[in-house]
Amino acid sequence: MIPSQPDRRGYFGSYGGRYVPDTVFPALDELDRAYRAARRDPAFRRELGDLLRATVGRPTPLTRVLRFPAGTGKAGARPSGGTVRRRRGESRMYLKREDLCHTGAHKINNTVGQVLLARRMGKRRVIAETGAGQHGVATATACALFGLKCTVYMGSDDVKRQAMNVYRMRLLGAEVVPVESGTRTLKDAINEAMRDWVTRVRDTYYCIGSAVGPHPYPLMVRDFQSVIGLEAKRQILKEEGRLPDLLVACVGGGSNAMGLFHPFLDTDVAMVGVEAGGRGPQPGRHGATLCHGRPGILHGALSYLLQDAKGQVLPTHSVSAGLDYPGVGPEHACLKDSGRVRYTSVPDDAALEAFHRMSELEGILPALESSHALAYALRACRRSPGRVLIVNLSGRGDKDLDIAGGRI
Amino acid sequence: MTLSEKWEELRSRNEAGLVAYLMAGHPTLDKSFEAIRTLAENGADFIEIGLPFSDPIADGPVIQEASNIGLANGADLDTVLGAARSMDGRVPLILMSYLNPLHRRGVNRSVRGLKAAGFAGLIIPDLPADEAGDWMAASRKAGLDLIFLAAPTSPPERLAKIAAASSGFVYCVSLTGTTGSRTAVAAGAEAFLRRMRGRTKKPLAVGFGVSTPEHVKRLSRVADGVIVGSRIVRAAAQGEDLAALVRSLKDATRRDAGPKVCGPRGGAR
């Protein structure tokens, strides 16, 4: 049995649920029924499997990296012990290469699944929110593939800092709507997408990009992303002949992390979710919801939330737009409370350092989101060497060149 | 005065109830609290006070903007409770708040605090009846009416469930969409109200997109109450004469003689 299934009302432990205006409540019921039926339907599974293989480019490789964890003595790269370690003490770090998915991030695993479902439900219009733009691009791509109309909401600050992805979405035929309200980032893009959904719920499918939102979204997005962990499990068994000691993934809303973690939950593999430490632990300067938040309700679910003493949602900051979010998926909240997964944070500068290190030492440009996981993994290798670990390289960093380039 | 006492009074006068909405702290703290009195003295039968929230997903641009201003001006649950305490209780007060600010304070503390300050009802737009067990129990115990929203998209069995859960009245959302003025009453609004009427004896108040006396007049024929929000908020923002506005809206709730409407009791059903 797969552990941590939500209950019938969509709760993982005490987190989740469906806290939405009643207008869309029936649409969630409809979606829940459609998803359950699709999941059991061999034709749907076959079509999804074909798409993942032929269009998304799965399975993605599991790449062992040697220079990134060890360092090479090159300027800027400091090996931890100072002396060459014995081979037995070496960490064996693998990257799950979601950056090699079509469109450059794990997001498309979910969007092909959801857009297939939208088509099956007879919806002709798809809406989505996006932070870094990766989910927007992935949704636009899936819609282009099936000839569905696509509208993407994106905070106007993110439109500026992720300009290339805005251009990509428009090339793919999607309408990109800049959102000027609130903090003008991912949170506000979701607000606006929900307002659109409330208005046009009858013909519109809302394709949520992370393991957040009202039930059944956290379950469904996690299921579609679980292909990451299922592949990684098979691949590491082939490479190492055993399960890894540690899994590391970044957590914004938490879909890439849930995708990697979920198939390992019933093993004794350790797992760490890495949040955006931003510029420091003070309110408004980070996006580390599980580290600093407390339970609250945002975007349709009860989960951890960055909020003030009066229950107002706090602004957030992260160098990576995809982690710049005050909420987190309810399943992560449950995994935190149960202690099954440990959550920590990495600040902007450490993520940027990992970005450069990975680029220089391995020839891989990681997304700034994934760079948070890489920075933690590097620290973990230095602190306790000799372990086998898998880091989810959830996306590629081409979209971040303007931000990271400022430091060269 | 409780909500049901007010409905009783309105029925005896053959009027629909005017539910007038305003946002706490907008355009300033003082002006918003002054506006409560102005609305009360000029014909509002119920006053719905919005608590500002950082993420008002059910609201359109006008109330979003007012919410931001209210927040910036420091309106919060405590200032709203303070304002309620200073009212004489003749016009029932209803709080409209998104769930999180109330959740943060706690179910029992919120509900008891509202009741003690003189609130008669509570509306939480992102709390569907399915998630409201604790809130319903606490409200019942405190004697506060917890009002749920019903939408035109709801299938029949869901409408019945919402009506059963709702106390004080059922808030019927006239359209699929966010709050905000529309030029005309939504096409399916009356049919929706009739469907709802077939499922409950509780008073029905209709809102979302209701802004002119003409809208109010038309909906007063099929609903027990009519909720006007964004139009009043816009008037407050632009310094319009609130008293004149609310009087014109209230006048439109007075039903002409002739075929009596299908009120919850004594209706022509």
Side-chain angles (χ1 to χ4, degrees):
Chain A
M1 196 194 103
I2 309 169
S4 81
Q5 291 296 333
D7 68 16
R8 276 189 59 246
R9 294 167 57 229
Y11 280 85
F12 296 92
S14 42
Y15 302 103
R18 294 189 279 187
Y19 295 88
V20 292
D22 229 88
T23 310
V24 296
F25 204 98
L28 293 173
D29 275 339
E30 180 195 359
L31 177 61
D32 193 31
R33 281 193 302 271
Y35 174 59
R36 280 169 198 284
R39 196 158 70 156
R40 283 190 305 267
D41 180 356
F44 180 86
R45 288 210 301 268
R46 199 179 319 115
E47 193 170 9
L48 179 59
D50 287 348
L51 274 170
L52 289 175
R53 194 166 47 249
T55 303
V56 175
R58 304 209 71 92
T60 59
L62 188 72
T63 306
R64 167 109 192 258
V65 285
L66 296 167
R67 285 152 56 87
F68 179 82
T72 60
K74 244 172 91 168
R78 272 165 271 127
S80 63
T83 54
V84 178
R85 270 189 238 102
R86 292 199 320 276
R87 194 175 143 63
R88 281 182 60 186
E90 262 182 352
S91 296
R92 300 171 69 81
M93 185 194 289
Y94 292 84
L95 305 180
K96 182 59 177 161
R97 299 294 303 278
E98 295 302 295
D99 60 318
L100 296 179
C101 287
H102 181 38
T103 72
H106 73 290
K107 294 293 186 187
I108 197 160
N109 302 327
N110 168 45
T111 61
V112 293
Q114 287 203 52
V115 171
L116 263 186
L117 191 60
R119 194 188 57 170
R120 192 183 158 100
M121 292 168 72
K123 306 281 182 182
R124 290 193 312 272
R125 177 174 180 264
V126 173
I127 59 170
E129 81 293 337
T130 197
Q134 291 303 114
H135 174 60
V137 167
T139 307
T141 300
C143 286
L145 206 54
F146 292 109
L148 299 178
K149 195 170 156 0
C150 177
T151 300
V152 180
Y153 290 93
M154 186 171 189
S156 59
D157 281 5
D158 291 337
V159 166
K160 274 183 226 126
R161 58 177 164 171
Q162 305 284 350
M164 192 184 75
N165 273 341
V166 175
Y167 185 51
R168 288 170 78 194
M169 285 184 267
R170 289 182 173 146
L171 281 175
L172 292 161
E175 178 195 11
V176 180
V177 182
V179 176
E180 301 287 349
S181 59
T183 57
R184 296 182 298 277
T185 56
L186 179 56
K187 164 180 87 87
D188 310 282
I190 297 180
N191 289 345
E192 209 52 40
M194 286 192 144
R195 291 184 186 115
D196 178 313
W197 199 35
V198 166
T199 306
R200 300 191 53 181
V201 61
R202 290 187 176 101
D203 74 336
T204 297
Y205 182 93
Y206 181 16
C207 181
I208 293 187
S210 195
V212 302
H215 177 69
Y217 284 105
L219 164 72
M220 183 169 67
V221 175
R222 176 260 273 171
D223 283 353
F224 286 137
Q225 292 295 0
S226 290
V227 66
I228 300 171
L230 291 169
E231 284 176 12
K233 204 172 187 178
R234 209 163 51 229
Q235 289 164 321
I236 197 73
L237 286 172
K238 189 156 172 252
E239 290 293 323
E240 292 285 334
R242 67 175 180 92
L243 291 176
D245 300 298
L246 176 66
L247 303 177
V248 184
C250 64
V251 177
S255 70
N256 90 79
M258 271 327 306
L260 177 64
F261 294 169
H262 192 260
F264 291 90
L265 284 177
D266 59 354
T267 69
D268 57 2
V269 175
M271 300 176 194
V272 174
V274 185
E275 299 191 307
R279 299 191 183 110
Q282 301 86 351
R285 292 172 65 86
H286 60 82
T289 307
L290 291 162
C291 295
H292 300 295
R294 48 187 298 168
I297 295 99
L298 181 71
H299 297 150
L302 171 61
S303 183
Y304 277 73
L305 179 63
L306 292 170
Q307 55 180 316
D308 67 14
K310 294 172 181 173
Q312 302 292 343
V313 179
L314 285 167
T316 50
H317 162 81
S318 171
V319 67
S320 63
L323 304 184
D324 201 349
Y325 181 61
V328 68
E331 191 167 5
H332 283 294
C334 174
L335 291 169
K336 174 192 161 75
D337 283 9
S338 73
R340 178 63 188 91
V341 178
R342 201 165 71 75
Y343 294 89
T344 182
S345 70
V346 156
D348 283 353
D349 51 4
L352 281 163
E353 209 174 296
F355 172 92
H356 286 285
R357 186 183 173 92
M358 183 54 70
S359 305
E360 286 164 23
L361 298 187
E362 302 288 349
I364 295 171
L365 294 183
L368 283 176
E369 289 78 6
S370 325
S371 299
H372 286 74
L374 292 170
Y376 174 83
L378 187 60
R379 218 164 68 202
C381 288
R382 287 171 177 170
R383 206 179 313 144
S384 43
R387 294 191 292 176
V388 173
L389 62 157
I390 299 176
V391 184
N392 200 5
L393 194 71
S394 55
R396 68 183 184 212
D398 305 52
K399 70 186 175 62
D400 297 315
L401 298 187
D402 283 350
I403 297 160
R407 278 175 36 108
I408 293 171
Chain B
M1 188 179 266
T2 66
L3 298 184
S4 64
E5 283 161 1
K6 178 56 92 173
W7 290 118
E8 204 55 54
E9 182 190 310
L10 287 160
R11 255 191 302 271
S12 69
R13 296 206 306 253
N14 195 24
E15 291 172 13
L18 175 65
V19 185
Y21 172 96
L22 54 77
M23 175 63 73
H26 170 264
T28 68
L29 268 185
D30 287 348
K31 281 187 180 164
S32 67
F33 298 144
E34 221 176 274
I36 299 176
R37 282 173 208 291
T38 308
L39 298 178
E41 286 160 10
N42 288 280
D45 298 302
F46 305 87
I47 295 174
E48 185 187 344
I49 303 174
L51 185 72
F53 182 52
S54 51
D55 296 86
I57 56 159
D59 286 302
V62 171
I63 293 181
Q64 282 177 46
E65 177 66 15
S67 181
N68 290 339
I69 291 169
L71 271 183
N73 288 335
D76 60 20
L77 197 48
D78 289 319
T79 56
V80 167
L81 294 179
R85 272 186 226 107
S86 73
M87 298 294 292
D88 61 12
R90 273 188 304 157
V91 176
L93 300 178
I94 300 162
L95 183 78
M96 205 265 12
S97 171
Y98 286 88
L99 181 54
N100 200 56
L102 301 173
H103 177 266
R104 182 64 196 254
R105 177 156 300 196
V107 179
N108 288 310
R109 251 189 93 199
S110 293
V111 167
R112 281 202 298 260
L114 286 167
K115 181 68 186 177
F119 274 94
L122 172 62
I123 300 171
I124 308 176
D126 55 347
L127 181 69
D130 311 66
E131 303 285 0
D134 293 350
W135 291 91
M136 285 167 68
S139 302
R140 206 176 302 125
K141 205 168 143 207
L144 188 78
D145 284 320
L146 184 62
I147 297 139
F148 288 97
L149 289 82
T153 48
S154 305
E157 66 280 6
R158 183 155 185 84
L159 292 181
K161 180 178 186 172
I162 293 164
S166 205
S167 116
F169 61 91
V170 184
Y171 190 136
C172 298
V173 178
S174 77
L175 44 78
T176 57
T178 53
T179 59
S181 303
R182 309 290 200 278
T183 46
V185 170
E190 281 130 326
F192 170 50
L193 284 160
R194 277 192 292 271
R195 273 200 291 144
M196 198 69 207
R197 186 71 81 195
R199 283 181 178 76
T200 182
K201 291 190 190 318
K202 290 177 184 166
L204 305 181
V206 57
F208 281 46
V210 183
S211 60
T212 67
E214 290 70 39
H215 298 168
V216 172
K217 194 172 180 65
R218 185 167 152 189
L219 290 167
S220 291
R221 284 185 221 125
V222 283
D224 304 292
V226 181
I227 305 160
V228 180
S230 296
R231 177 68 189 92
I232 293 173
V233 170
R234 202 174 72 218
Q238 298 175 349
E240 286 177 50
D241 183 349
L242 277 185
L245 174 66
V246 75
R247 275 197 302 271
S248 71
L249 295 167
K250 179 58 206 172
D251 283 345
T253 66
R254 301 205 168 89
R255 298 176 185 125
D256 308 325
K260 198 157 183 309
V261 285
C262 43
R265 251 166 283 159
R269 239 169 328 138

